[in-house]
Amino acid sequence: MIGRLNHVAIAVPDLEAAAAQYRETLGASVGDPQDEPDHGVTVVFIELPNTKVELLYPLGDASPINGFLEKNPAGGIHHMCYEVDDILAARDKLKADGARVLGDGDPKIGAHGKPVLFLHPKDFNGCLIELEQV
Ligand code: CO
């Protein structure tokens, strides 16, 4: 069901420093910060030849990244995003198999303008999983 790895998201305590490190130390192609108010994050996209990395930084007091950074002050891997062809069919299969879909269970439009869903990390070996329909 899942296809390509679309991106790995890393929560960072200092967005400017993290972007500079990927640009200068790791020599990656790093975009400009983008605010995503619907998701409570500011994102920097890093384009790699085979996938993307997203640096996530909290936007606003209610950001879901605040709690993550409290527990992981140095930052850390926040989620992995896998591509699916049909997000509603994927959701229905996962729910039938007992996986928990976060939120109201309906896809939201993600940072790339495509429908996304998140799956409970406790159901997937401690890893928050994002599904994106491509
Ligand atoms: Co993501």
Side-chain angles (χ1 to χ4, degrees):
M1 179 173 64
I2 61 169
R4 285 159 36 108
L5 175 67
N6 184 275
H7 60 270
V8 176
I10 304 174
V12 301
D14 182 335
L15 190 57
E16 235 171 85
Q21 183 183 50
Y22 269 83
R23 186 182 291 115
E24 287 150 32
T25 307
L26 294 173
S29 171
V30 177
D32 292 326
Q34 294 180 27
D35 289 345
E36 306 282 347
D38 289 352
H39 297 272
V41 292
T42 301
V43 187
V44 166
F45 295 109
I46 299 165
E47 295 282 343
L48 303 180
N50 63 338
T51 191
K52 294 185 282 284
V53 174
E54 292 180 6
L55 305 179
L56 299 179
Y57 185 78
L59 179 64
D61 292 340
S63 171
I65 306 302
N66 285 327
F68 186 92
L69 285 174
E70 269 164 36
K71 286 185 219 137
N72 306 277
I77 293 182
H78 184 263
H79 64 268
M80 315 261 290
C81 177
Y82 302 121
E83 297 181 355
V84 294
D85 290 331
D86 182 336
I87 201 163
L88 295 177
R91 175 196 64 187
D92 293 346
K93 179 188 185 328
L94 286 156
K95 282 173 89 170
D97 289 349
R100 285 168 284 180
V101 177
L102 299 189
D104 61 12
D106 289 326
K108 288 196 168 56
I109 296 304
H112 310 111
K114 306 217 170 108
V116 301
L117 279 177
F118 287 90
L119 305 174
H120 202 297
K122 288 196 174 143
D123 295 337
F124 293 93
N125 311 290
C127 182
L128 176 62
I129 290 179
E130 179 179 18
L131 297 179
E132 181 174 304
Q133 180 171 292
V134 293

